[in-house]
Amino acid sequence: MIKAKKSQVFVIGGTHGNEFTGVYLIKKLRSQNLKKNYNKISPFFELGNEEAFRLNRRYVDHDLNRCFSKDFLLEAKKKLEEKGEGFLEHEEKLALNFDKLFKEEKADFIIDLHTTTSQMGPTLILSHKDHLSLTVAAHLKKAFPALKVICEFKELEDNYCLFTQAQAGILLEFGPVPQGVLKSELFLLMEKVVKETLSFLESAGEGEVGPYKMEELETFHVLENLDYPRDEEGNLRGMIHPDREGKDFLPIKDGEPLFICFDGETIPWKGPTVWPIFMNEAAYYEKSVAMVLTSKQKGF
Amino acid sequence: MIKAKKSQVFVIGGTHGNEFTGVYLIKKLRSQNLKKNYNKISPFFELGNEEAFRLNRRYVDHDLNRCFSKDFLLEAKKKLEEKGEGFLEHEEKLALNFDKLFKEEKADFIIDLHTTTSQMGPTLILSHKDHLSLTVAAHLKKAFPALKVICEFKELEDNYCLFTQAQAGILLEFGPVPQGVLKSELFLLMEKVVKETLSFLESAGEGEVGPYKMEELETFHVLENLDYPRDEEGNLRGMIHPDREGKDFLPIKDGEPLFICFDGETIPWKGPTVWPIFMNEAAYYEKSVAMVLTSKQKGF
């Protein structure tokens, strides 16, 4: 008798070291010895970047959630072969280790846990367009109506994120949580969402998965990033306007206030109606991203 | 004719490098060339820790707002004399420079600008008990009723804070603002409070200062710090309870939920009614401070 292969599900917290929620949630889930609850899936609970967590920083040398492009991994492998491990930067080493782990264990699904300083509430980000990932999103939206679903579909080979290293997966992004802080309400909600996802994946093979009207699901599709106003030297010239602050997922129309400059000038949004998210994310100041513009849609 | 000495007023932003509000507010105030607006006072606008700001970190080697104790300054001076400037750590150098600046310019009043991840709103901290500092606090409370006044009176020679290096001063502490983020509403309010303080100090010598019923002023007096629940190795064992999160300045009574542990246990507050502040301040995790307990009082 051939034993059916279990689905290998990786739950990763602390891909960014100063996002405490994922780190402590992984520690908690590990302590609960959950493997025994599942037959069809085999869950792994991994810490993404323990050294960055120890330093209370997003990363040591590179943002680990940007380290999984083909080029980055190839470059790191080349360095490893030519010069040895001692020459690898911290996240080069981590990315190679995760790449190896996901391949050896044949990772089927990755759940990557993040927090944002934006007032986005509980959100789920999709990068894969496979049936399982979409169904998981549809199921979670049904189970947690407050959850927003963000779509940033990419060809897998073009993707640089950790959770796109399996054929299916989701990224959970909960806010607002300052860096280096735990907010219990969002922590406990994220735990519920992770456990619901594991239960769903456990039952997904058994025909227990109900029908989902995917075409009716509210989704936010990423259009482009928008930077803060800056001067010629690249210094900040303003901030998110008080009228806009905290209004992630609410539409902004042509002419409505978007930024307020230090000199008092208000800069309005110019363009078609869009739905900004990731507004005022602390880690995005250095990435020149004041917000990510999306369009609100039905379905994928 | 002897020209009366102007009051030397120092406004300092970015004493902590990742508290952007103060940094950008100082840059803004500098650009406005305000000195000409004042006759009785001479305002200086200084950046506290530019290197830490560049690194987007609270500090490089030491928390600059803990570097002004007698012992710390003496130790740094000794090191400077015996070994030379190259051996000084970053904040040792900064503290000596500020110490020298405040003495040379005969600093009369310091306004130190801070933000917190706690949901404290706009607050003012007093460490001095001199008449001018108290009157400034009373005036600002009248001008900005939402402003909370926190008293942590210490003997000046025992104090290690930057703003206690003059005979009078206040610390502004606005929240919630994540580290490395600007919130325009609080930024603009802090600007108003700073300018109101400068105007008040300008008029303080002219008998224009109205009467303040100091004994009726609502104040919060610091009692002690309270740590998070921790295990034997000092690791976090829980977080602020959802029922308590964000309720700075609201009383907690004996038996009410205070922390929730990762294992599900709720830890209630045991003791007399207190008013917690600085709940869930990111920078205080490493200082073993989950919150600061205060008593609500009338007057100083």
Side-chain angles (χ1 to χ4, degrees):
Chain A
M1 197 180 91
I2 297 165
K3 208 176 158 191
K5 177 195 169 283
K6 287 187 178 187
S7 277
Q8 308 293 86
V9 181
F10 283 82
V11 188
I12 320 267
T15 299
H16 295 134
N18 55 8
E19 297 178 6
F20 283 9
T21 310
V23 175
Y24 285 99
L25 187 48
I26 290 297
K27 288 174 190 254
K28 176 172 182 174
L29 294 169
R30 276 180 176 174
S31 76
Q32 292 180 329
N33 191 21
L34 293 169
K35 272 195 191 286
K36 63 178 179 356
N37 299 355
Y38 304 102
N39 294 311
K40 306 278 169 59
I41 66 167
S42 179
F44 296 77
F45 300 102
E46 302 287 331
L47 290 173
N49 199 337
E50 285 192 76
E51 178 62 9
F53 168 64
R54 204 185 57 75
L55 297 168
N56 194 7
R57 278 159 56 180
R58 186 173 175 88
Y59 56 82
V60 180
D61 298 309
H62 300 275
D63 185 336
L64 182 60
N65 210 26
R66 304 286 183 279
C67 288
F68 290 89
S69 70
K70 254 187 180 169
D71 287 351
F72 189 94
L73 288 170
L74 269 175
E75 198 67 38
K77 256 176 222 165
K78 205 177 136 194
K79 206 197 267 186
L80 176 65
E81 282 157 17
E82 289 176 3
K83 298 185 166 179
E85 197 178 75
F87 283 82
L88 289 180
E89 291 182 299
H90 182 66
E91 282 81 8
E92 288 178 329
K93 215 181 300 176
L94 282 183
L96 288 182
N97 287 347
F98 274 114
D99 184 54
K100 200 174 155 212
L101 178 69
F102 294 150
K103 277 175 183 149
E104 278 177 4
E105 301 290 343
K106 297 189 175 56
D108 294 298
F109 201 94
I110 298 174
I111 306 168
D112 193 15
L113 311 179
H114 289 259
T115 54
T116 170
T117 63
S118 306
Q119 293 173 66
M120 281 164 61
T123 72
L124 181 160
I125 302 180
L126 284 171
S127 232
H128 308 70
K129 219 176 175 171
D130 65 286
H131 183 68
L132 181 60
S133 304
L134 300 190
T135 316
V136 165
H139 173 76
L140 291 174
K141 176 73 185 165
K142 202 170 163 185
F144 303 95
L147 195 75
K148 298 277 199 297
V149 177
I150 300 163
C151 300
E152 194 177 12
F153 295 126
K154 287 179 183 166
E155 296 302 320
L156 278 189
E157 56 265 34
D158 295 341
N159 215 312
Y160 47 68
C161 291
L162 183 143
F163 83 112
T164 54
Q165 299 313 296
Q167 287 302 309
I170 56 172
L171 184 150
L172 297 180
E173 184 77 79
F174 281 29
V177 187
Q179 296 172 345
V181 162
L182 287 169
K183 290 270 178 87
S184 54
E185 200 180 333
L186 288 175
F187 179 96
L188 296 169
L189 180 58
M190 189 180 273
E191 181 182 3
K192 280 187 193 162
V193 174
V194 169
K195 287 186 174 170
E196 184 63 36
T197 310
L198 294 177
S199 300
F200 184 79
L201 292 170
E202 170 80 4
S203 65
E206 299 178 15
E208 284 175 22
V209 177
Y212 296 98
K213 293 183 179 164
M214 305 281 233
E215 68 284 2
E216 288 180 16
L217 197 78
E218 180 189 89
T219 53
F220 294 85
H221 287 247
V222 168
L223 300 170
E224 60 178 319
N225 299 336
L226 191 70
D227 193 10
Y228 292 94
R230 293 186 190 267
D231 65 19
E232 289 103 32
E233 282 130 44
N235 301 310
L236 276 191
R237 207 162 65 74
M239 340 163 242
I240 309 284
H241 194 281
D243 289 357
R244 175 54 30 188
E245 180 66 47
K247 293 188 180 159
D248 297 75
F249 293 111
L250 291 181
I252 185 164
K253 292 176 192 155
D254 189 70
E256 288 181 349
L258 184 56
F259 297 110
I260 188 157
C261 294
F262 300 126
D263 64 8
E265 186 197 357
T266 289
I267 300 181
W269 166 242
K270 284 192 195 307
T273 300
V274 287
W275 286 255
I277 61 171
F278 278 114
M279 286 198 304
N280 230 342
E281 159 55 34
Y284 288 180
Y285 276 69
E286 70 173 29
K287 295 186 200 288
S288 297
V289 177
M291 63 192 69
V292 174
L293 305 179
T294 73
S295 68
K296 189 176 171 179
Q297 298 188 25
K298 290 280 178 200
F300 303 104
Chain B
M1 198 180 87
I2 297 166
K3 211 175 157 192
K5 179 193 169 281
K6 287 187 177 189
S7 278
Q8 309 293 88
V9 181
F10 283 83
V11 188
I12 320 268
T15 298
H16 295 135
N18 54 9
E19 297 178 4
F20 282 10
T21 311
V23 175
Y24 285 99
L25 186 48
I26 291 295
K27 287 174 191 254
K28 176 172 182 175
L29 294 170
R30 276 180 177 173
S31 77
Q32 290 180 330
N33 190 22
L34 294 169
K35 272 195 191 283
K36 63 179 177 356
N37 299 354
Y38 304 102
N39 293 312
K40 306 278 170 57
I41 66 167
S42 178
F44 296 76
F45 302 101
E46 301 288 330
L47 290 172
N49 198 337
E50 284 192 77
E51 179 62 9
F53 168 65
R54 203 185 59 74
L55 297 168
N56 193 8
R57 278 159 57 182
R58 186 172 175 90
Y59 56 83
V60 180
D61 298 308
H62 300 276
D63 185 335
L64 182 60
N65 209 27
R66 303 287 183 278
C67 289
F68 291 90
S69 70
K70 252 188 182 172
D71 287 351
F72 188 95
L73 287 171
L74 269 174
E75 199 66 40
K77 255 176 223 166
K78 204 177 138 197
K79 204 195 270 186
L80 176 66
E81 280 157 18
E82 288 176 4
K83 297 185 166 180
E85 197 178 74
F87 284 82
L88 289 180
E89 292 183 296
H90 182 65
E91 281 82 8
E92 289 178 327
K93 213 181 302 176
L94 282 184
L96 288 182
N97 286 347
F98 273 114
D99 184 54
K100 197 172 157 213
L101 179 68
F102 294 149
K103 278 176 181 149
E104 279 178 1
E105 300 290 344
K106 297 190 174 56
D108 294 297
F109 200 95
I110 298 175
I111 306 168
D112 192 14
L113 311 179
H114 289 258
T115 55
T116 171
T117 64
S118 307
Q119 292 174 67
M120 283 164 59
T123 73
L124 180 160
I125 301 180
L126 283 173
S127 231
H128 307 71
K129 219 176 173 171
D130 65 286
H131 183 69
L132 182 60
S133 304
L134 301 189
T135 317
V136 165
H139 174 76
L140 291 174
K141 176 74 185 164
K142 201 170 166 186
F144 304 95
L147 195 75
K148 298 278 198 295
V149 178
I150 301 163
C151 300
E152 194 177 13
F153 296 126
K154 287 180 183 165
E155 296 301 320
L156 278 189
E157 55 265 34
D158 295 340
N159 214 311
Y160 48 68
C161 292
L162 184 143
F163 82 112
T164 54
Q165 299 313 297
Q167 287 302 310
I170 56 173
L171 185 150
L172 297 180
E173 184 76 78
F174 282 31
V177 187
Q179 296 173 342
V181 162
L182 287 169
K183 290 270 178 84
S184 53
E185 200 179 334
L186 288 175
F187 179 96
L188 296 170
L189 179 58
M190 190 180 272
E191 181 182 3
K192 279 185 195 164
V193 174
V194 169
K195 287 186 175 171
E196 185 63 34
T197 310
L198 294 177
S199 299
F200 184 79
L201 292 171
E202 169 80 3
S203 64
E206 298 178 15
E208 285 174 19
V209 177
Y212 296 98
K213 294 182 179 165
M214 303 282 232
E215 69 284 0
E216 288 182 16
L217 197 77
E218 179 188 88
T219 52
F220 294 85
H221 287 246
V222 169
L223 300 169
E224 59 178 321
N225 298 337
L226 191 71
D227 194 10
Y228 293 94
R230 293 185 190 267
D231 65 18
E232 289 103 32
E233 282 131 43
N235 301 310
L236 275 191
R237 206 163 65 76
M239 355 168 227
I240 310 283
H241 195 281
D243 290 356
R244 177 53 29 187
E245 180 66 46
K247 292 186 180 162
D248 298 76
F249 293 111
L250 291 180
I252 184 163
K253 291 175 193 153
D254 189 69
E256 289 182 348
L258 185 54
F259 296 110
I260 188 158
C261 293
F262 299 127
D263 64 9
E265 184 198 358
T266 288
I267 299 181
W269 166 242
K270 284 192 196 305
T273 300
V274 288
W275 286 256
I277 61 172
F278 278 114
M279 287 200 303
N280 231 341
E281 160 54 36
Y284 288 0
Y285 277 68
E286 70 172 29
K287 295 185 200 288
S288 297
V289 177
M291 63 191 68
V292 175
L293 305 179
T294 73
S295 68
K296 189 175 171 178
Q297 299 189 22
K298 291 279 179 200
F300 304 102

